């Protein structure tokens, strides 16, 4: 996604893995309905958000390279620091998390790790640190538009699935109005070629280049995704929808489109009718209204605080 959505910083930092307490069996599925949450700007307290909205899970952005093939939050923070405390607090309140690797800007592990096995090792450090049920690979920009890196990411995820039975893998990527572009279609096709089992393919249906109806654009983009997943893996429409998902953007997007709460509810209702495997948005940090223009801390629209997060909280698939 565009820089507004991906204001990451890439500096070096050491990383050490520290196991957190296991997630209770009753913990929610972190893939299904988990709005993005990042640790820069005017950061909301996730436990307060959970209490206010009923949301149970968050997608935490972003795990990047610290300058080598080693994971760090935003490329700077150790796996054992404040982010570990954040995860503990969310879990203590009955929730869970899915870390997201990548994003629009910053140093991507897919580029800084030299092989699929090395990249899998970097992913594994994060999995081990937090005893994860799922990971999200937000593949964009130079990491996305590079055949060698795409194959490296897929190869790493294949290894991760082999070494972590039961873990769910999500790939989140840009899209055109009609569905994945050439690079997106290649990524899906190559996952089959390489035997990399991806549980959920998710698109980001916004930033299409100017004001437009994003409800219609979202439906057409996800339908295009579903159609390619269906054709690639020989699935029914229903099965392909159940391996597809979407990540919208609340309020005013980077290119001047607008998603209102009413439109977002319409997207949720449509996603429910198709039983999509993932329904989320960027980001709870921006889930505030009447606070000025669209920024990393404000949606740029007239809305109540956490209105979009409440919509996600009501999604059950």
């Amino acid at each position: 996604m565009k820089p507004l959505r991906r204001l990451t910083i890439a500096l070096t930092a050491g990383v050490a893995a520290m196991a957190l307490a296991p997630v209770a069996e009753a913990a929610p599925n972190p893939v299904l309905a988990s709005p993005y949450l990042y640790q820069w700007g005017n950061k909301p307290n996730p436990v307060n958000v959970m209490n206010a909205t009923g949301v149970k899970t968050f997608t935490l952005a972003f795990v990047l390279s610290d300058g080598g093939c080693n994971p760090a939050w935003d490329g700077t923070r150790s796996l054992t620091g404040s982010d570990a405390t954040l995860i503990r607090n969310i879990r203590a309140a009955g929730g869970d998390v899915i870390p997201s690797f990548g994003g629009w800007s910053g140093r991507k592990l897919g580029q800084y790790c030299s092989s699929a096995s090395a990249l899998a090792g970097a992913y594994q450090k994060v999995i081990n640190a937090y005893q994860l049920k799922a990971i999200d690979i937000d593949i964009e920009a130079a990491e996305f538009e590079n055949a060698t890196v795409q194959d490296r990411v897929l190869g790493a995820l294949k290894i991760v699935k082999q070494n972590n039975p039961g873990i769910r893998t999500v790939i989140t990527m840009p899209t055109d109005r009609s569905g994945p572009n050439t690079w997106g279609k290649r990524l899906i096709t190559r996952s089959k070629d390489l035997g990399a089992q991806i549980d959920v393919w998710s698109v980001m249906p916004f930033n299409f280049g100017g004001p437009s109806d994003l409800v219609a654009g979202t439906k057409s983009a996800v339908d295009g995704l579903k159609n390619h997943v269906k054709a690639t893996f020989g699935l029914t429409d229903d099965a392909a929808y159940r391996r597809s998902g979407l990540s919208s953007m609340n309020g005013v997007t980077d290119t001047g489109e607008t998603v209102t709460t009413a439109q977002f509810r319409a997207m949720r209702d449509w996603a429910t009718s198709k039983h999509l495997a993932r329904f989320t948005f960027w980001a709870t940090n921006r889930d505030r209204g009447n606070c000025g223009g669209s920024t990393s801390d404000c949606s740029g629209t007239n809305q109540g605080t956490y209105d979009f997060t409440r919509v996600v909280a009501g999604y059950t698939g």
Side-chain angles (χ1 to χ4, degrees):
M1 298 169 188
K2 300 298 182 183
L4 169 62
R5 179 172 194 280
R6 296 302 191 238
L7 302 174
T8 49
I9 305 169
L11 301 172
T12 58
V15 178
M18 177 183 73
L20 297 181
V23 183
E25 288 300 318
N29 171 10
V31 172
L32 185 65
S34 49
Y36 282 83
L37 183 75
Y38 45 85
Q39 295 304 295
W40 63 82
N42 184 5
K43 300 174 288 187
N45 181 316
V47 175
N48 291 345
V49 176
M50 293 167 70
N51 291 336
T53 67
V55 75
K56 292 295 185 182
T57 59
F58 295 95
T59 303
L60 301 184
F62 285 106
V63 180
L64 292 168
S65 158
D66 70 348
C69 187
N70 206 41
W73 289 103
D74 288 333
T76 65
R77 301 189 303 277
S78 164
L79 299 186
T80 61
S82 60
D83 300 85
T85 301
L86 184 81
I87 293 170
R88 279 194 292 268
N89 291 342
I90 291 170
R91 286 177 169 171
D96 204 0
V97 302
I98 171 172
S100 184
F101 295 77
W104 174 262
S105 61
R107 293 182 295 226
K108 320 298 175 55
L109 285 164
Q111 295 172 280
Y112 279 78
C113 296
S114 61
S115 66
S117 59
L119 180 57
Y123 293 156
Q124 192 67 51
K125 288 180 181 178
V126 183
I127 293 167
N128 290 348
Y130 310 124
Q131 298 189 14
L132 298 173
K133 291 182 175 181
I135 59 173
D136 172 46
I137 310 300
D138 187 328
I139 185 167
E140 303 186 52
E143 194 178 32
F144 180 56
E145 297 179 355
N146 184 304
T148 299
V149 176
Q150 278 197 359
D151 288 356
R152 186 179 299 148
V153 169
L154 291 170
L157 292 175
K158 179 179 179 178
I159 295 169
V160 164
K161 293 287 282 189
Q162 292 169 343
N163 293 340
N164 302 270
I167 197 165
R168 292 175 61 77
T169 53
V170 178
I171 287 184
T172 302
M173 59 184 171
T175 184
D176 292 334
R177 285 186 180 89
S178 59
N181 65 12
T182 301
W183 285 109
K185 290 177 179 177
R186 181 196 184 276
L187 189 64
I188 294 168
T189 301
R190 285 295 288 164
S191 74
K192 181 181 180 182
D193 296 340
L194 297 173
Q197 180 187 345
I198 307 303
D199 295 293
V200 180
W201 298 95
S202 187
V203 290
M204 299 179 285
F206 58 90
N207 285 353
F208 291 137
S212 63
D213 181 353
L214 285 190
V215 176
T218 293
K219 292 177 180 179
S220 63
V222 176
D223 277 343
L225 169 67
K226 178 270 297 182
N227 288 339
H228 194 67
V229 169
K230 174 184 176 180
T232 300
F233 300 104
L235 302 175
T236 63
D237 282 320
D238 180 66
Y241 275 125
R242 291 173 186 267
R243 288 184 60 183
S244 302
L246 71 93
S247 178
S248 187
M249 186 172 185
N250 60 311
V252 181
T253 75
D254 305 295
T255 59
E257 306 144 332
T258 299
V259 179
T260 66
T261 52
Q263 289 171 324
F264 196 55
R265 283 192 294 270
M267 293 177 192
R268 180 201 60 197
D269 293 345
W270 181 80
T272 299
S273 74
K274 302 300 183 183
H275 307 293
L276 297 187
R278 183 163 168 81
F279 177 77
T280 184
F281 77 103
W282 182 272
T284 290
N285 304 66
R286 303 180 71 247
D287 200 1
R288 306 177 174 103
N290 304 311
C291 47
S294 176
T295 68
S296 61
D297 299 328
C298 181
S299 72
T301 62
N302 179 12
Q303 62 153 100
T305 301
Y306 304 143
D307 278 352
F308 286 81
T309 303
R310 289 186 179 90
V311 174
V312 170
Y315 184 69
T316 60

